[in-house]
Amino acid sequence: KAGVTQTPRYLIKTRGQQVTLSCSPISGHRSVSWYQQTPGQGLQFLFEYFSETQRNKGNFPGRFSGRQFSNSRSEMNVSTLELGDSALYLCASSLTRGSYNEQFFGPGTRLTVL
Amino acid sequence: QKEVEQNSGPLSVPEGAIASLNCTYSDRVSQSFFWYRQYSGKSPELIMSIYSNGDKEDGRFTAQLNKASQYVSLLIRDSQPSDSATYLCAVKLGGADGLTFGKGTHLIIQP
């Protein structure tokens, strides 16, 4: 069974631009969560999507948004990029929602903001 | 503030020995606990999940959970150089959105 895929793998943008990242979950998985990983803050939860609806959101500004499509694929968007947005963005998929669902991570998208 | 804490290390263990990784969490109502392994430059890989008090074994890995002490650990038996990585503890804290991760413990297995 194929794992979680993310595109693109690497991205370089300049301040003020916007970016869209894509995630395809494991086949059959309906929940997609997004995380940001930086050396200083570690892994931090951004948001979770299930059945095309945002179910939970972490403590990030409104510049960070996302959506989920009917085939469970998800995109996240960051507008008006700041230098501090440079990070590894990870998508994780799970079968469904709830506390007892294991999350499996994709390879991530490395975003560099210049 | 609800959080998950781990010793950042590095934790150096000789090859063949048992590596013991520890994690404490702040919320008594937490229900699910996960250990991830992350190699440098790679994404986290799920190793173990544990939901009930006690031990859960999978091959060379054993996860231990003590909810009364708000403590979860990971034991790696017969440590191999390929086990050298950062190990992340993740907790579904009560009322929190998403998983809350510790900063990770850097484990080095010395040949």
Side-chain angles (χ1 to χ4, degrees):
Chain A
K1 185 183 269 191
V4 179
T5 59
Q6 292 186 247
T7 57
R9 294 292 310 280
Y10 302 92
L11 210 48
I12 299 175
K13 293 286 187 179
T14 56
R15 279 180 299 175
Q17 288 187 307
Q18 75 166 19
V19 67
T20 299
L21 313 181
S22 181
C23 170
S24 292
I26 293 170
S27 178
H29 283 197
R30 297 171 60 197
S31 176
V32 173
S33 297
W34 289 88
Y35 293 83
Q36 181 197 66
Q37 187 174 31
T38 59
Q41 298 300 316
L43 261 162
Q44 293 184 287
F45 172 74
L46 279 158
F47 28 65
E48 177 195 13
Y49 284 88
F50 180 80
S51 292
E52 302 177 61
T53 303
Q54 186 180 93
R55 302 294 178 162
N56 292 304
K57 191 176 193 303
N59 188 25
F60 280 83
R63 300 184 297 107
F64 292 82
S65 63
R67 59 178 176 168
Q68 187 180 35
F69 302 95
S70 58
N71 61 359
S72 296
R73 191 177 69 85
S74 177
E75 290 181 346
M76 69 163 281
N77 184 77
V78 188
S79 62
T80 320
L81 284 167
E82 301 177 359
L83 294 178
D85 296 334
S86 294
L88 179 66
Y89 289 89
L90 292 157
C91 163
S93 81
S94 59
L95 201 57
T96 182
R97 299 193 65 229
S99 297
Y100 302 105
N101 282 280
E102 296 175 333
Q103 294 186 18
F104 299 91
F105 283 92
T109 294
R110 173 79 59 187
L111 172 64
T112 302
V113 182
L114 303 176
Chain B
Q1 184 176 350
K2 298 180 179 180
E3 59 184 350
V4 176
E5 295 189 356
Q6 298 180 252
N7 188 322
S8 62
L11 174 65
S12 186
V13 174
E15 183 176 356
I18 295 175
S20 178
L21 304 162
N22 305 314
C23 172
T24 58
Y25 57 95
S26 61
D27 190 349
R28 284 189 172 274
V29 302
S30 299
Q31 296 177 310
S32 50
F33 309 84
F34 307 89
W35 283 99
Y36 287 85
R37 176 176 62 196
Q38 187 172 26
Y39 293 113
S40 180
K42 301 293 186 182
S43 62
E45 174 192 8
L46 181 65
I47 299 175
M48 296 279 286
S49 59
I50 185 166
Y51 309 123
S52 304
N53 279 328
D55 295 0
K56 179 183 178 182
E57 187 175 318
D58 184 0
R60 294 187 298 112
F61 299 97
T62 298
Q64 299 175 315
L65 176 61
N66 183 327
K67 290 187 178 181
S69 300
Q70 295 173 228
Y71 178 93
V72 57
S73 65
L74 179 70
L75 302 178
I76 307 175
R77 290 182 301 281
D78 188 24
S79 297
Q80 302 297 311
S82 59
D83 294 327
S84 297
T86 295
Y87 288 80
L88 298 164
C89 172
V91 180
K92 184 67 170 70
L93 295 173
D97 300 327
L99 292 177
T100 301
F101 283 81
K103 293 291 179 67
T105 297
H106 183 205
L107 175 66
I108 299 172
I109 305 300
Q110 294 181 322

